């Protein structure tokens, strides 16, 4: 799962979508307004983010709203922190 998540985070458009969703849930159309790429392209980016479990979606009528899944982001932060290790014990 980590490999899928990191691959999803590698794309700058997907990182920008996550940044937009930090402000709250948005529809696909609202997200697409922020980019100069096609709606199908945004849809594909959203699918990749959803596959990586970085976002959740919820259908309301004819709209699908997307929001961050912060728990996966927290897991990544913990993994990176663990990978970094405790550097306070090292001396120069």
């Amino acid at each position: 799962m980590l490999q899928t998540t990191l691959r999803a985070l590698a794309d700058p458009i997907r990182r920008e979508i996550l940044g937009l969703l930090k402000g709250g849930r948005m529809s696909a159309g609202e997200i697409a307004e922020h980019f100069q790429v096609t709606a199908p392209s945004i849809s594909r980016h959203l699918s990749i983010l959803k596959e990586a479990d970085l976002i959740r979606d919820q259908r309301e009528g004819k709209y699908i709203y997307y929001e961050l899944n912060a728990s996966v982001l927290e897991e990544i932060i913990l993994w990176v922190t663990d990978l970094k290790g405790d550097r306070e014990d090292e001396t120069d």
Side-chain angles (χ1 to χ4, degrees):
M1 182 64 161
L2 181 61
Q3 185 174 351
T4 303
T5 303
L6 293 176
R7 189 176 301 126
L9 291 171
D11 187 278
I13 290 177
R14 292 193 284 271
R15 290 193 306 268
E16 193 170 339
I17 289 171
L18 293 174
L20 289 171
L21 293 175
K22 186 173 68 173
R25 73 184 200 139
M26 298 174 76
S27 70
E30 291 170 326
I31 293 167
E33 290 174 2
H34 292 269
F35 300 93
Q36 295 194 2
V37 296
T38 65
S41 177
I42 292 298
S43 180
R44 180 68 184 139
H45 285 297
L46 290 169
S47 292
I48 291 169
L49 289 169
K50 189 176 168 192
E51 287 171 21
D53 209 23
L54 289 164
I55 62 172
R56 295 185 181 119
D57 64 349
Q58 180 177 1
R59 180 173 289 279
E60 291 184 15
K62 65 179 184 171
Y63 297 101
I64 298 176
Y65 290 92
Y66 296 87
E67 63 185 356
L68 281 179
N69 180 5
S71 63
V72 171
L73 295 171
E74 290 168 2
E75 287 177 28
I76 294 168
I77 291 168
L78 289 173
W79 177 76
V80 170
T81 301
D82 184 54
L83 187 64
K84 180 181 166 202
D86 187 4
R87 306 259 182 213
E88 293 180 23
D89 293 337
E90 295 180 9
T91 56
D92 293 0

